[in-house]
Amino acid sequence: MKILVFGSLNIDHVYQMDHFVQAGETVSALDYQKNEGGKGLNQAIALSKAGQETYIAGAIGQDGLFLQDLLQSGGVNTRHLQIVSHPTGHAIIQVDRQGQNCIFICGGANQQISQQMMDDILAQFSAGDYILMQNEISNGDYLVRAAHARGMHVILNPSPLSPALMDWPLELVEWFILNEIEGAALSGKDSPDDMLDALLSAYPKAHIVLTLGGDGAVYADDHERLHQPAISVQAVDTTAAGDTFTGYFFHAILAGYSVSAALKEAAVAASIAVSRPGAGRSIPLYAEVKAQLANQQ
């Protein structure tokens, strides 16, 4: 059983700010870093650091070869990573003094992934394998259909939201992992309980993980609902929090953990990530998470 992360790889330009820039305002950044990022890259690194054998598929330009190096050094199998003529995708990230962030993304190579490329890569995976995807690459709707047709378990993190995503074949998704903004958009509801009720009504066979920031996370399926409180820490940079949570949660699920145990492991991993600057490099190793879990018992 393999897990393939088919997603984005970005170069992150991170600016430490006193506050987020407003319309018409020009301010000086407090600091700048150039980091590795992209939801696909971050989630693949999180899975691998958790101890999961992980494959990644996606596209980068020549300017993004250092992203491939980082993935390989983190134990991720990059044989399905394509190098194309377009520049690598990138993100502009502002991080304020409270550790909150705002981000805009230029897709670059992430938007050059063709259906044929997807077919060629999926042909090397089998029924029963898992695919973890987001909404930062081209032809995402096709990828859902093609992976499902091969009998793969489809995991969707519907981020970032877009109008086109509402037309994806979401009934084919087995696992949703999403935050409150995404949950509200997909369900049309405001409260977490109402979001979960609406999503399960629309997709009754799905497993849903709804992350709630400082309020933790909730899991729901057609017969149970579980809540995991957030782990309280001083946040430095929340950029990779959700991706760390996602990677660690699905490592635990694939390893046969209970959902409750998977939620706890993911929450601890995310709490460590937000206490550090950066995205991919802030994701903890499993030994750190294990030690933190032992301290809480």
Side-chain angles (χ1 to χ4, degrees), residues 13 26 63 66 91 94 99 110 117 128 140 145 155 202 204 267 270 272 286 297:
H13 300 280
T26 301
D63 58 333
F66 72 102
Q94 296 181 60
N110 296 313
M117 187 187 301
R145 292 187 180 92
I155 307 167
I272 297 172
Y286 181 70
Q297 293 177 354

Side-chain angles (χ1 to χ4, degrees), residues 71-153:
L71 287 159
Q72 291 173 347
S73 68
V76 179
N77 189 312
T78 62
R79 72 176 64 170
H80 306 300
L81 193 60
Q82 309 293 307
I83 300 171
V84 299
S85 59
H86 283 70
T88 303
H90 68 266
I92 304 298
I93 303 173
Q94 296 181 60
V95 181
D96 69 12
R97 289 187 182 274
Q98 287 70 50
Q100 298 300 308
N101 65 71
C102 64
I103 304 171
F104 71 84
I105 296 171
C106 178
N110 296 313
Q111 295 299 312
Q112 304 304 312
I113 300 174
S114 67
Q115 295 180 10
Q116 185 60 56
M117 187 187 301
M118 291 174 170
D119 286 340
D120 292 344
I121 292 169
L122 291 180
Q124 300 176 64
F125 292 84
S126 305
D129 290 339
Y130 284 73
I131 183 168
L132 170 57
M133 54 182 295
Q134 312 82 29
N135 187 28
E136 290 184 333
I137 63 173
S138 51
N139 290 305
D141 57 338
Y142 179 83
L143 183 58
V144 173
R145 292 187 180 92
H148 182 267
R150 291 194 68 81
M152 298 179 74
H153 302 284

Side-chain angles (χ1 to χ4, degrees), residues 156-175:
L156 176 63
N157 173 211
S159 178
L161 286 169
S162 68
L165 187 138
M166 308 306 290
D167 295 325
W168 285 23
L170 299 179
E171 69 279 2
L172 304 181
V173 174
E174 184 172 337
W175 287 87

Side-chain angles (χ1 to χ4, degrees), residues 154-158 170-171 173-178 186 199 203 206-210 250:
V154 179
I155 307 167
L156 176 63
N157 173 211
L170 299 179
E171 69 279 2
V173 174
E174 184 172 337
W175 287 87
F176 290 91
I177 184 160
L178 66 173
L186 289 181
L199 289 169
Y203 313 111
H207 306 265
I208 301 169
V209 181
L210 181 64
F250 284 106

Side-chain angles (χ1 to χ4, degrees), residues 1-4 52-53 55 124-125 128-131 254:
M1 184 174 57
K2 303 176 184 176
I3 185 163
L4 170 66
Q52 181 68 43
E53 182 179 5
Y55 296 79
Q124 300 176 64
F125 292 84
D129 290 339
Y130 284 73
I131 183 168
L254 268 66

